Amino acid sequence: MRKNSILKQASCGLIESLDTQNYRHFYIHMDDEIDKLNLLEEITLSYDDDNHVEVTESRHNEFTVNNEDDMNLTAFRELVTLLSDSPRYTDYRRLLNDKLQRIDNGKANISVFGGFSAGKTTFINALMGAKHLTTSPNPTTATITEINNDETSTVVYKSEADLTETLAALSGERHDTAGGYQKWISRNIGKVDDTYKPLLAGIQENYAHYKDDLGQTVSIDTEDLIAKISNDKDSTFIHKANVSLDNDMTQSYTLVDSPGINSINARHTSETRDIITDSDMIIYVSYYNHVFSRSDETFLQYIQSLKGKDFPIIFIINAVDLMKSEADKDKVLDYMRNALNTMHIKHVLYPVSSKRALDEGDEYFTTAKAEIMHIADQHSGNVQYKTLQETQRQLINTLMSNMRQFEDNGEERAKLLELRKDLLNNIDGITAGSINDTLKQEIDIILTYLTNRLRLQLYDHLKGLLTVSAMSNKHYIRDHKSIIVRNIEDFLTLETSIAFNAVYRQADRQTSQMITQFNERLEIAGTPGTLSVTSVKAEEPSVHIDAEVLVPFDKILYQNKNKTGDYRDALLELAETIVQSVDTAALKAHMEQLAEKYTALLDAELKEDRVMITAALQAEPDEISRTDYDEDANLLKAVESISI
Ligand SMILES: Nc1nc2c(ncn2[C@@H]2O[C@H](COP(=O)(O)OP(=O)(O)OP(=O)(O)O)[C@@H](O)[C@H]2O)c(=O)[nH]1
Ligand SMILES: [Mg+2]
């Protein structure tokens, strides 16, 4: 009886839920297995028809496209040309030229994420204007796919160790090669969780075919590669696909398509982290009429923790062709807006129909595409553009200082020498490493609230992992122990990362403050060159649990599986026990180590600039002749005419 009513709710979409307000205490992802409906996850976000004011008032996290930030590169190019006639400013010309070239050559990275079957691949096809990649109502994209206009497509195969690691966790056996598991696979393929069936079937059928390719990167025909990534039995062996397609999108951008996000099944990987770090723009696709789930929420928080609070996420509500009316669409948009604002996610929202865009054209899509390209261009060139402007200011100051040197009686020269001496004394103190102690304090703060946070989140996660129906197998935990442990550790690592990434962001912020202050003083020193650092790749702390603490819970959960309240209490106790089993002292030491490693990487990036600036500061200021003075006066006019 109970199950029937739940199933009925599962079959209706978001709109019905919004109208009946049935959605308020749960969400159901339509694609989740029926199993998972036994214990519905609570939704923390709510949409209230009577509460429109709240929706509009909390829009501070919405991002608006700002044309004023557009880069005016033409003026800078003219400046480079102008400087080529001034041998005294060769250093400046080279600096500006390097930065311009970096902007020209840098292709923006656009990454697409979202729940499975949300239409990520269809959306990417629509961006490219053709159905290049395979889409399907069933989970399709099984691997990270990068789309670029390189000369050939390449495929990066998984290593033997990638395969055996999962097989060992599944089987409890240990063999040197994936082939060694064939016997176990034949006996157990019918019994494993559906998630792992494609992997096992792939190994059974294709291991012999792929075994010599494992760990290799191989050139491959584009059509063949596209076929392979959408076929489980091939994609099992693929770590990453680089698909080469030449079109207007790939000429300016590298696009990344990713497998669907699903908190229960997907493994959180360091590749995902690196993709996010490298992205100039992140697009999150959500399917019209699908309720926003807890795994969407966690993933968006993860992105935000890596990119910082000011980085806007482009949110696509796909398949608006399914809307029944404009009012219906507005309701969904308001719901999403409210959800994203409540989560403090900086965003911009576009309703589109990717399918219609490909078939006959879609106005919503056309608008979204134009704005997306605009935002991506702004974001990718932004950092370089700021340093271009910095160099321009520095040049203006140098020109003015040179002119003053000619005008006054050595006063300016004395001031310059004094300032350069002072800057030389300070430059070695401008290091990211100098904030290591502050970062340690931040780590202490994070750890004090982390355990509490993890306990509650883990409980939520366990509801989906150890469902009542799974636990009707008396030995469910014992039989699947290593996979369950791996899943829990992945989950805890992701949640811990979200908290810990704040340490990296603090390191970025403080380093950049330090550098900016130093650069402001450098601008008046009459020398070329500034300190600059772009963000570097960071590692995440891995969380380990004591697998043995799970063992007694087979019995406890089995005994309580028919008593909702008791089952919940048992899961809460399990969450508590697992979190208690984490060695926090080791975790703390690991975090401190990672923070130090990160600041060392930032300092390595600063090294080249530091050497150049030190040499410039040590050099004697030039003597200024009458001709130099006239040249500088003319140059100054030209440089100032470029608006900053
Ligand atoms: N009605 C409608 N259906 C769409 C739209 N976009 C995609 N679909 C359908 O949704 C299904 C999933 O689309 P995909 O593009 O494969 O979704 P995906 O997010 O890449 O899926 P995975 O890679 O499997 O996670 C396909 O059957 C598409 O035809 C749309 O705008 N409108
Ligand atoms: Mg896909």
Side-chain angles (χ1 to χ4, degrees):
M1 182 63 208
R2 184 178 139 75
K3 195 153 185 166
N4 269 345
S5 74
I6 292 169
L7 285 176
K8 194 162 151 266
Q9 283 167 352
S11 65
C12 69
L14 169 62
I15 281 292
E16 288 86 339
S17 303
L18 290 177
D19 286 340
T20 58
Q21 305 226 334
N22 271 341
Y23 62 91
R24 294 195 61 163
H25 303 294
F26 62 88
Y27 79 78
I28 298 168
H29 196 280
M30 307 267 284
D31 299 306
D32 279 357
E33 298 138 63
I34 298 303
D35 266 353
K36 288 169 195 145
L37 299 175
N38 281 325
L39 275 167
L40 301 169
E41 286 187 43
E42 239 180 271
I43 185 162
T44 50
L45 313 159
S46 72
Y47 176 92
D48 201 330
D49 249 347
D50 310 327
N51 217 351
H52 267 297
V53 185
E54 195 204 335
V55 176
T56 44
E57 268 184 359
S58 63
R59 287 190 168 180
H60 55 280
N61 287 303
E62 285 169 42
F63 173 82
T64 42
V65 183
N66 185 358
N67 289 323
E68 282 165 23
D69 291 345
D70 276 357
M71 295 185 280
N72 174 13
L73 297 180
T74 320
F76 280 103
R77 286 191 223 287
E78 282 166 13
L79 178 59
V80 171
T81 316
L82 197 70
L83 288 175
S84 53
D85 295 332
S86 312
R88 290 165 53 231
Y89 296 101
T90 317
D91 286 344
Y92 276 104
R93 188 173 55 87
R94 212 184 26 240
L95 277 173
L96 291 168
N97 214 10
D98 279 358
K99 291 175 205 283
L100 279 168
Q101 251 172 17
R102 238 175 277 176
I103 294 179
D104 286 343
N105 299 341
K107 263 194 184 179
N109 289 319
I110 301 180
S111 309
V112 179
F113 293 101
F116 55 85
S117 299
K120 302 176 291 297
T121 306
T122 311
F123 180 77
I124 289 180
N125 279 339
L127 284 177
M128 297 191 289
K131 296 177 183 171
H132 291 296
L133 304 168
T134 314
T135 63
S136 143
N138 305 316
T140 309
T141 313
T143 175
I144 294 165
T145 307
E146 188 184 292
I147 306 126
N148 54 44
N149 66 343
D150 289 356
E151 240 155 67
T152 57
S153 292
T154 54
V155 51
V156 185
Y157 286 106
K158 283 183 189 163
S159 66
E160 192 85 57
D162 288 338
L163 296 174
T164 50
E165 199 254 346
T166 308
L167 290 167
L170 271 173
S171 65
E173 295 182 4
R174 299 240 163 257
H175 302 282
D176 291 342
T177 67
Y181 290 87
Q182 294 288 20
K183 263 198 200 135
W184 180 85
I185 293 173
S186 313
R187 271 185 276 116
N188 292 281
I189 189 159
K191 296 182 213 157
V192 297
D193 188 291
D194 281 350
T195 328
Y196 298 101
K197 288 204 165 83
L199 165 78
L200 300 188
I203 288 174
Q204 221 171 20
E205 210 162 298
N206 283 335
Y207 177 72
H209 178 71
Y210 284 113
K211 74 177 174 14
D212 294 335
D213 290 327
L214 296 178
Q216 316 266 353
T217 301
V218 179
S219 289
I220 182 172
D221 173 73
T222 302
E223 294 303 314
D224 286 352
L225 180 55
I226 290 172
K228 278 190 200 299
I229 50 182
S230 37
N231 178 355
D232 283 339
K233 287 180 182 163
D234 297 308
S235 64
T236 284
F237 298 92
I238 298 176
H239 171 72
K240 190 178 167 218
N242 300 304
V243 176
S244 155
L245 292 167
D246 194 14
N247 53 53
D248 67 330
M249 278 312 276
T250 57
Q251 275 155 23
S252 311
Y253 311 99
T254 300
L255 304 170
V256 179
D257 191 9
S258 54
I261 288 147
N262 170 350
S263 65
I264 310 300
N265 297 329
R267 262 210 98 178
H268 171 63
T269 63
S270 60
E271 279 78 35
T272 311
R273 184 184 182 101
D274 291 345
I275 291 171
I276 296 171
T277 306
D278 284 340
S279 296
D280 296 295
M281 167 179 276
I282 290 173
I283 297 177
Y284 203 86
V285 180
S286 176
Y287 196 73
Y288 191 80
N289 221 4
H290 269 202
V291 187
F292 197 64
S293 72
R294 169 107 36 210
S295 47
D296 290 307
E297 188 181 334
T298 305
F299 196 75
L300 287 167
Q301 277 168 347
Y302 180 63
I303 294 174
Q304 192 192 39
S305 74
L306 283 170
K307 304 299 275 184
K309 283 206 175 344
D310 292 329
F311 186 87
I313 298 173
I314 312 299
F315 221 89
I316 298 291
I317 310 277
N318 188 38
V320 280
D321 50 283
L322 298 178
M323 75 179 178
K324 296 191 182 75
S325 65
E326 281 290 319
D328 177 298
K329 183 196 77 194
D330 289 344
K331 228 177 226 181
V332 171
L333 288 186
D334 271 351
Y335 170 84
M336 280 316 306
R337 246 181 222 127
N338 200 30
L340 294 168
N341 279 320
T342 309
M343 287 167 61
H344 304 287
I345 301 280
K346 183 149 257 150
H347 63 275
V348 50
L349 203 68
Y350 297 107
V352 308
S353 168
S354 306
K355 196 173 168 186
R356 213 162 45 195
L358 278 163
D359 294 339
E360 71 223 51
D362 175 68
E363 236 177 87
Y364 292 117
F365 183 88
T366 311
T367 314
K369 180 177 171 179
E371 289 201 18
I372 283 170
M373 288 166 75
H374 187 82
I375 301 171
D377 293 340
Q378 274 185 350
H379 270 249
S380 62
N382 227 341
V383 178
Q384 287 301 326
Y385 193 65
K386 279 204 182 105
T387 70
L388 260 182
Q389 292 174 318
E390 231 171 35
T391 308
Q392 179 195 11
R393 277 199 304 267
Q394 207 175 17
L395 177 58
I396 289 176
N397 277 310
T398 301
L399 289 166
M400 292 201 300
S401 160
N402 284 348
M403 290 169 71
R404 272 198 301 273
Q405 277 193 68
F406 183 78
E407 286 161 358
D408 69 22
N409 285 323
E411 217 176 292
E412 175 72 13
R413 199 178 171 82
K415 251 197 270 174
L416 275 188
L417 286 170
E418 183 71 18
L419 176 62
R420 291 189 189 183
K421 202 172 111 193
D422 197 42
L423 287 168
L424 273 174
N425 281 338
N426 286 325
I427 191 165
D428 286 337
I430 311 297
T431 66
S434 66
I435 56 172
N436 281 344
D437 283 344
T438 328
L439 297 183
K440 274 189 192 160
Q441 286 166 17
E442 177 77 17
I443 290 172
D444 285 342
I445 295 169
I446 285 172
L447 283 167
T448 51
Y449 73 78
L450 186 66
T451 328
N452 225 346
R453 190 185 136 116
L454 286 183
R455 186 189 305 131
L456 293 172
Q457 282 160 335
L458 181 59
Y459 160 69
D460 256 352
H461 182 72
L462 291 177
K463 282 193 293 191
L465 185 66
L466 304 175
T467 59
V468 169
S469 71
M471 295 314 295
S472 57
N473 166 2
K474 255 183 165 173
H475 304 296
Y476 185 78
I477 293 178
R478 192 192 69 188
D479 291 349
H480 303 90
K481 198 162 98 192
S482 32
I483 285 289
I484 293 172
V485 167
R486 196 170 76 154
N487 179 304
I488 292 173
E489 288 186 338
D490 274 353
F491 176 79
L492 293 177
T493 296
L494 179 64
E495 291 290 350
T496 303
S497 273
I498 292 176
F500 181 66
N501 286 335
V503 174
Y504 291 136
R505 298 298 71 79
Q506 186 178 342
D508 289 345
R509 213 168 34 244
Q510 282 190 242
T511 308
S512 128
Q513 260 170 19
M514 213 173 351
I515 289 175
T516 308
Q517 281 168 9
F518 187 81
N519 285 345
E520 279 168 7
R521 297 183 62 213
L522 255 185
E523 277 174 21
I524 41 179
T527 54
T530 49
L531 289 173
S532 73
V533 60
T534 48
S535 76
V536 292
K537 280 200 184 117
E539 290 168 47
E540 49 198 30
S542 43
V543 179
H544 298 289
I545 63 170
D546 177 0
E548 291 318 303
V549 303
L550 290 166
V551 177
F553 282 87
D554 250 340
K555 193 170 165 197
I556 300 170
L557 291 169
Y558 179 76
Q559 283 171 347
N560 290 302
K561 65 182 187 313
N562 296 322
K563 294 169 263 177
T564 312
D566 293 345
Y567 195 79
R568 190 183 54 220
D569 290 346
L571 282 183
L572 270 168
E573 195 191 325
L574 176 57
E576 168 82 39
T577 313
I578 291 172
V579 172
Q580 288 295 336
S581 84
V582 175
D583 181 348
T584 37
L587 184 60
K588 181 179 165 177
H590 189 201
M591 286 177 166
E592 290 179 352
Q593 219 178 18
L594 290 177
E596 279 184 26
K597 205 166 162 183
Y598 187 75
T599 53
L601 282 173
L602 289 175
D603 282 332
E605 276 233 337
L606 280 174
K607 199 172 161 196
E608 206 179 307
D609 289 344
R610 195 195 310 277
V611 171
M612 177 188 68
I613 292 166
T614 305
L617 288 171
Q618 281 164 341
E620 278 281 300
D622 291 335
E623 296 286 347
I624 312 294
S625 69
R626 175 86 231 176
T627 339
D628 293 340
Y629 180 82
D630 292 342
E631 184 191 53
D632 289 353
N634 281 332
L635 260 180
L636 182 62
K637 262 192 229 135
V639 185
E640 278 180 333
S641 71
I642 299 175
S643 62
I644 297 190

